Amino acid sequence: MLLSLLIIISTFPATVYASTFITDMNSDAEFGVVSGSYDKYGHEMHYAKYDGKTYIVFCVQYGKTSPTGTTYEYGKDFVKYVNRSGDTYRKIADYIAFGYTLQYGDGLPNTKAEWIAACCTQQFVWETLGVNPTRSSWDSTYMSDSLYKSWLADTEDLIDLYYNKQVSFNGSIKTINLGGSVTLTDSNGVLKYYPTFSKTIDKVTFSHTKGENKLTVSVAENCTTHSVKFKSVSHNIFMDLPTGDSYDSDTMNYVYFDFDNGDIQNLMFSKQADPQTFAVDINVQFGNLKITKTSEDNIVKGMVFTVKGNGKTYTMTTDANGTAELNNIPVGTYTISENDIIKYVKQTDKTVTVSDGKTANVSFDNILKKFRVTVTKSDIEKGHAQGDAKLSGAVYGIYKGELLVDTYTTDENASFTTKYYVCDDDWTIREIKASEGY
């Protein structure tokens, strides 16, 4: 009629180094019965002492003799099996961990609630192994059918939360525009159990605050990677344990103590919890914009354009080939305006859409401003020809500076209209030959 418990004196789980933790036991250790446990609780509870610490261990062979509280020789009197194979022992390890050690620590109970949890945990071990002690065989203050069912429900809720509920967006792909950010909300309420962190991968930053179910993902404006994968395990970021402590891979194991003397019951300790992680892939969207410039006078270098869109303003200047390129800009719609040059006809703004991974092309063709002149000859006194004089037949020249470019002759209506010429400030019209009578 023995109950095995291994107890640690530490009430507050502290940082534990592998060389002192029970699963790394490599020397002799003391095993025994918690004093007065049979009389108070109805069954014997057990402990182990190793490297100055006391651990709670649980009996896995009901009916056999308890260890005596003396030191047993490692490798001779007993051997240990870390993470002993078998689904049954793995299940027991989970319920010991989530039902007791991950909530109350590795050591012996200090409060009534802790003793209730310890006694219920021991009962679970026996029932899982199919041995006989009934729930009513305990002192009902610490173990009864109702207490056991309540403990079991709470323990399975913790196991379900830890193992079966994942971050709702785990494994998903999220799309974010270059320079943008998005806040992902975990609808399963699991992310709040992860520690605070901020990690940057290829200029994409993933930030989370413990206690919140939100992950903020921010993409820098100079990010040049389309696909960024965040895996919490790659950064040693794991879901916290039910105690609120961080996951510690050095201590997350269970150990089975096998005594050489077949009369002494074997014992088990567990602080087993597989690391829980999440991952999310980010698709960063950006594209390119290319302007191609042509001009009637073949001057294409140095043309300046203003690009506006997505709350951004860019300036682009054409090279000797009349092209200007703007790479890695957020996807979206942009309006492109050419800065005015007085000798060209004003350009109409153009709108383009930049798509992810593609180059949006837009072209501008400059047309020179032109003019033409209609000249009407008249008599300065009468306005019309006097006597035998004529207003038709007068010859005029159009000059660029001092260069005669073309000549025109007034018609029967005493007028002429020139062809189109490129605008400039040194054009003149001069009369070369007067009409008859003038």
Side-chain angles (χ1 to χ4, degrees), residues 339-346 368-369 423:
N339 290 12
D340 287 344
I341 299 177
I342 193 170
K343 67 177 181 177
Y344 298 119
V345 176
K346 181 177 176 59
L368 291 166
K369 291 179 180 179
C423 293

Side-chain angles (χ1 to χ4, degrees), residues 28-49:
D28 300 346
E30 177 186 327
F31 296 89
V33 177
V34 177
S35 178
S37 57
Y38 181 82
D39 292 333
K40 186 171 184 178
Y41 309 115
H43 289 279
E44 290 181 337
M45 306 292 281
H46 296 79
Y47 70 88
K49 288 184 179 180

Side-chain angles (χ1 to χ4, degrees), residues 283-387:
N283 176 23
V284 181
Q285 291 198 319
F286 57 87
N288 310 311
L289 173 63
K290 182 178 180 180
I291 296 174
T292 300
K293 179 68 176 176
T294 56
S295 179
E296 188 177 2
D297 59 0
N298 295 320
I299 298 175
V300 294
K301 181 180 180 181
M303 303 300 175
V304 179
F305 295 83
T306 299
V307 180
K308 293 183 177 181
N310 282 330
K312 306 289 184 182
T313 299
Y314 306 96
T315 299
M316 301 175 67
T317 304
T318 56
D319 59 18
N321 297 315
T323 60
E325 295 186 35
L326 188 58
N327 296 321
N328 298 349
I329 60 175
V331 300
T333 301
Y334 292 86
T335 299
I336 306 168
S337 305
E338 182 178 13
N339 290 12
D340 287 344
I341 299 177
I342 193 170
K343 67 177 181 177
Y344 298 119
V345 176
K346 181 177 176 59
Q347 291 279 353
T348 301
D349 293 349
K350 295 187 177 183
T351 300
V352 296
T353 299
V354 174
S355 301
D356 184 37
K358 297 181 179 179
T359 298
N361 292 283
V362 62
S363 60
F364 286 82
D365 181 37
N366 275 347
I367 299 174
L368 291 166
K369 291 179 180 179
K370 298 180 179 67
F371 73 95
R372 65 179 180 176
V373 178
T374 297
V375 175
T376 300
K377 185 173 178 63
S378 63
D379 184 278
I380 194 169
E381 294 179 351
K382 301 292 186 176
H384 56 79
Q386 299 184 52

Side-chain angles (χ1 to χ4, degrees), residues 382-402:
K382 301 292 186 176
H384 56 79
Q386 299 184 52
D388 294 331
K390 296 181 179 180
L391 295 177
S392 60
V395 179
Y396 290 83
I398 186 164
Y399 291 80
K400 181 86 168 58
E402 295 302 319

Side-chain angles (χ1 to χ4, degrees), residues 23-72:
T23 54
D24 294 288
M25 183 184 292
N26 57 11
S27 62
D28 300 346
E30 177 186 327
F31 296 89
V33 177
V34 177
S35 178
S37 57
Y38 181 82
D39 292 333
K40 186 171 184 178
Y41 309 115
H43 289 279
E44 290 181 337
M45 306 292 281
H46 296 79
Y47 70 88
K49 288 184 179 180
Y50 175 67
D51 272 0
K53 293 188 65 177
T54 302
Y55 297 83
I56 184 168
V57 289
F58 295 87
C59 168
V60 293
Q61 290 182 311
Y62 179 78
K64 288 194 174 184
T65 303
S66 295
T68 62
T70 57
T71 297
Y72 290 79

